[in-house]
Amino acid sequence: MKNGNAQRLGAAAAGIIFLGVGIAFAVHFTDAGRYVGIALAVLGGILVLYGAVRREEYTTAKYVRKKSLVTAAECEFLQTLRRIAPNRYEVLPQCVLASVIDKRTETTYRNELFRIVDYVFVDKVTYAPLLLVELNDSSHNRADRKQRDAKVNEICRKAKLPLVTFTPQQTKDYALVKKTVLSEILKR
């Protein structure tokens, strides 16, 4: 269950409990207890309404199709990457790690594999994944992105699937990009 759904469900459940306790106080106890009971019942009613309103906000969310799967810079770099041995390799953008890496363990949790990498080079015939490529702009300097990048690097290293990164400046040097990509693919 998503965290937001759990919070809404929790608010509604707490509201029902407060409502019940409030009614019990109001019916069975003295005047002071009745006031406490009424206050608890009102609080319970508010929490039930809050849960219902939040649930309505979730169900009325607006979903909009994106204009493009990639940014303008990613699109330009994708065209550069596709020039590298186009008869041998296909380059796919926005690849989820779970599409190219399996997790073999006792548990079924694979959340860490739902991170997205910018590109994957695959064999044009078998579609076997050969190389992952990331375009690291300035957002990769943020602490949260550094953590994410470290985790992706660790997963790729363990899976023996090479990962190379390029800065926006490096993407302009086709010879460097081609040499780096081919040397990583051919190492395997």
Side-chain angles (χ1 to χ4, degrees):
M1 180 181 298
K2 298 261 188 226
N3 192 27
N5 289 340
Q7 288 174 345
R8 286 185 285 282
L9 184 60
I16 291 169
I17 291 167
F18 277 113
L19 188 62
V21 170
I23 291 170
F25 263 93
V27 170
H28 291 47
F29 293 101
T30 64
D31 289 337
R34 284 193 182 107
Y35 292 122
V36 169
I38 291 169
L40 289 173
V42 168
L43 178 61
I46 290 170
L47 287 171
V48 168
L49 287 174
Y50 170 76
V53 167
R54 296 292 295 167
R55 190 169 30 260
E56 179 62 24
E57 287 175 8
Y58 179 73
T59 59
T60 59
K62 184 177 179 183
Y63 299 98
V64 179
R65 178 173 46 172
K66 290 183 174 185
K67 292 187 186 327
S68 178
L69 182 63
V70 293
T71 66
E74 290 170 336
C75 186
E76 184 178 331
F77 190 43
L78 177 59
Q79 300 313 314
T80 300
L81 294 174
R82 285 187 169 164
R83 289 177 36 210
I84 302 170
N87 295 331
R88 292 185 65 190
Y89 310 117
E90 183 70 46
V91 184
L92 307 173
Q94 300 300 307
C95 180
V96 176
L97 287 177
S99 296
V100 294
I101 296 174
D102 278 330
K103 181 178 180 183
R104 303 227 170 114
T105 181
E106 299 286 324
T107 65
T108 58
Y109 300 111
R110 302 179 332 144
N111 294 352
E112 70 274 13
L113 294 180
F114 290 97
R115 292 174 170 92
I116 297 172
V117 294
D118 294 324
Y119 313 97
V120 60
F121 272 80
V122 296
D123 179 277
K124 196 157 187 136
V125 175
T126 65
Y127 278 79
L130 304 170
L131 174 71
L132 301 176
V133 178
E134 284 274 83
L135 175 58
N136 285 358
D137 60 13
S138 61
S139 70
H140 288 261
N141 294 328
R142 293 190 333 240
D144 63 324
R145 291 302 300 253
K146 285 181 180 181
Q147 280 184 316
R148 176 250 177 228
D149 291 346
K151 185 64 176 174
V152 168
N153 282 323
E154 176 189 353
I155 291 168
C156 291
R157 181 185 52 75
K158 287 180 178 179
K160 296 181 174 64
L161 181 59
L163 169 69
V164 295
T165 60
F166 295 99
T167 65
Q169 296 77 19
Q170 292 171 321
T171 66
K172 308 295 184 216
D173 185 348
Y174 178 72
L176 169 72
V177 172
K178 183 176 180 179
K179 178 182 175 189
T180 303
V181 165
L182 290 178
S183 69
E184 284 298 324
I185 289 175
L186 297 176
K187 277 184 188 177
R188 310 291 173 226

